[in-house]
Amino acid sequence: MFNFEQLYIDSSFALIEKEISLAEVRVLLEQNRFVVFIDKLAYVVADSESVLLELSDPKMQLREWIKFTKSPGSPICPLNRLMELELTSDRPVLIGENPSEIRGVTTARRIAECLIDEKRRLTSYFIALVETVNEAVTAVDQKGKVIYWNQAAEQVYGIRKETIIGRKIGEHFDQESIMLQRVLDEGRPVRQVYHQPTPDTHVLISASPIMENGRIIGGIATEQDITRIVRLNEELYSAVPAMVEQDRSFAAIIGSGIMFKRVLELAKKFTRVHTPVLLTGEAGSGKEMLAQAIHDGAGGKDASFLTIHCGALPGGLLETELFGYQGGAF
């Protein structure tokens, strides 16, 4: 949000709500930089207009002079609503809640300068943010042209900023598989979608449209590199010989105590029905062995039994492990 607290507001003004002559206006301008006249509209006479006043009859009333010179009115706007103001005139802008509570006078030029300074500041914050996060960050405009590509994106995709910024994202990736293009077309965000952009790279993508007044003006995506997690997961599975025969019956579960025996008796009852079973307990308490025993005891000894350590996998990758994924989604 733009901050106008640093905007220069000139408090050297005289507020007039009654008829006065141009001679009186000139006297007031010797003591103030502005004379603010409240009629049906608010009008501002600046000290820079003294020359024009000298060319007119000093007995002329200010209202008549404003009408004669066709001077446009000046808007009155609270400081926190300046972003809503349309700067269509070079006339001064009055800062205040209403004509009786005017804080001071500023100009469209000063507001524009403040906006430019604030834009530079926000841009610096944005750049620092996207270069600090570990995820690859890509931003495009409404036409799919890349407007930002951080260092992490360079590392993930091997494409330099100078090569891709200013060019359409479809020039480097398959147009139909670009997630940001889908966001621009549909206007809906996506979260934690798994993708393998290259044979040796695995990422989770989140993307959102950038909106302005209900209109899509671009999109931004972050991609978390999970290649290391995937490789560790693959090494974990490959470390266990696939064909080693193991005793996975209840007899292979060793333990003692009344509670332990009750758990085994209850588990054996579930071998007679085909229903999902939720096993809870601390790490290392034997939940996996008990699940295998129930599975085999229910007649599934020759059927597949898949073990996934959910705590070691991100949500998007877990979904992929269970249900697979559609390739080619950037």
Side-chain angles (χ1 to χ4, degrees):
M1 179 179 293
F2 282 99
N3 177 19
F4 288 99
E5 294 300 327
Q6 302 301 320
L7 175 66
Y8 176 74
I9 301 175
D10 198 327
S11 59
S12 177
F13 69 95
L15 182 61
I16 305 300
E17 297 182 347
K18 61 181 182 179
E19 283 284 12
I20 64 172
S21 66
L22 295 187
E24 293 174 290
V25 173
R26 290 173 59 183
V27 172
L28 290 173
L29 286 177
E30 292 176 358
Q31 303 169 355
N32 303 274
R33 291 201 59 210
F34 302 95
V35 169
V36 178
F37 176 59
I38 304 297
D39 195 17
K40 294 180 180 180
L41 298 176
Y43 298 91
V44 179
V45 182
D47 56 3
S48 59
E49 298 176 281
S50 296
V51 176
L52 294 177
L53 294 175
E54 293 176 0
L55 298 176
S56 303
D57 183 357
K59 297 180 180 180
M60 180 183 291
Q61 296 295 305
L62 178 57
R63 179 185 285 111
E64 296 176 2
W65 183 81
I66 289 173
K67 184 178 180 180
F68 175 75
T69 58
K70 299 181 179 180
S71 179
S74 292
I76 302 175
C77 184
L79 192 62
N80 60 358
R81 299 186 64 181
L82 279 179
M83 281 296 293
E84 304 173 16
L85 186 65
E86 295 185 8
L87 301 176
T88 58
S89 172
D90 59 354
R91 299 301 298 167
V93 177
L94 299 173
I95 304 300
E97 297 292 334
N98 53 63
S100 62
E101 297 180 1
I102 296 175
R103 290 177 48 187
V105 183
T106 189
T107 63
R109 180 176 179 179
R110 286 173 177 165
I111 295 174
E113 290 173 348
C114 187
L115 287 172
I116 292 172
D117 290 340
E118 192 71 5
K119 177 181 178 295
R120 292 194 189 103
R121 189 179 69 89
L122 292 179
T123 300
S124 298
Y125 274 102
F126 172 76
I127 293 175
L129 173 63
V130 297
E131 293 297 347
T132 300
V133 298
N134 295 325
E135 289 81 3
V137 179
T138 308
V140 299
D141 62 13
Q142 66 270 29
K143 296 181 180 179
K145 185 183 297 183
V146 179
I147 58 177
Y148 200 85
W149 184 264
N150 71 346
Q151 293 182 4
E154 289 184 327
Q155 296 173 0
V156 171
Y157 291 103
I159 302 175
R160 300 283 298 173
K161 291 182 181 180
E162 298 80 5
T163 304
I164 194 169
I165 289 181
R167 308 183 72 88
K168 289 190 175 181
I169 193 74
E171 296 181 21
H172 293 271
F173 300 92
D174 182 10
Q175 186 72 23
E176 296 181 357
S177 66
I178 299 174
M179 189 63 67
L180 275 174
Q181 189 63 52
R182 186 189 307 177
V183 168
L184 292 177
D185 293 340
E186 301 178 2
R188 293 183 296 178
V190 295
R191 295 288 180 268
Q192 297 285 288
V193 176
Y194 173 77
H195 175 48
Q196 189 175 1
T198 67
D200 298 324
T201 307
H202 305 263
V203 298
L204 290 179
I205 300 175
S206 296
S208 298
I210 302 173
M211 309 294 292
E212 181 183 40
N213 297 326
R215 180 174 62 93
I216 298 176
I217 63 171
I220 189 167
T222 62
E223 295 144 76
Q224 179 185 1
D225 189 351
I226 57 171
T227 303
R228 184 171 177 271
I229 297 176
V230 173
R231 288 177 179 172
L232 288 175
N233 192 50
E234 292 173 349
E235 292 175 4
L236 178 63
Y237 283 117
S238 62
V240 180
M243 300 305 295
V244 174
E245 291 292 336
Q246 300 180 18
D247 185 0
R248 299 180 295 185
S249 65
F250 287 101
I253 302 176
I254 302 174
S256 60
I258 297 177
M259 291 301 298
F260 178 78
K261 292 180 180 179
R262 287 180 180 175
V263 169
L264 287 185
E265 291 175 0
L266 181 61
K268 289 177 181 178
K269 292 181 180 180
F270 280 100
T271 62
R272 306 189 190 102
V273 294
H274 294 281
T275 184
V277 180
L278 174 64
L279 304 178
T280 62
E282 297 179 358
S285 58
K287 298 186 295 297
E288 182 179 339
M289 291 184 63
L290 188 59
Q292 288 182 335
I294 295 174
H295 175 266
D296 293 349
K301 186 174 183 179
D302 297 327
S304 299
F305 183 86
L306 177 63
T307 301
I308 298 177
H309 296 279
C310 302
L313 300 176
L317 185 57
L318 175 61
E319 181 180 347
T320 300
E321 288 281 354
L322 293 175
F323 306 110
Y325 71 96
Q326 182 177 0
F330 170 78

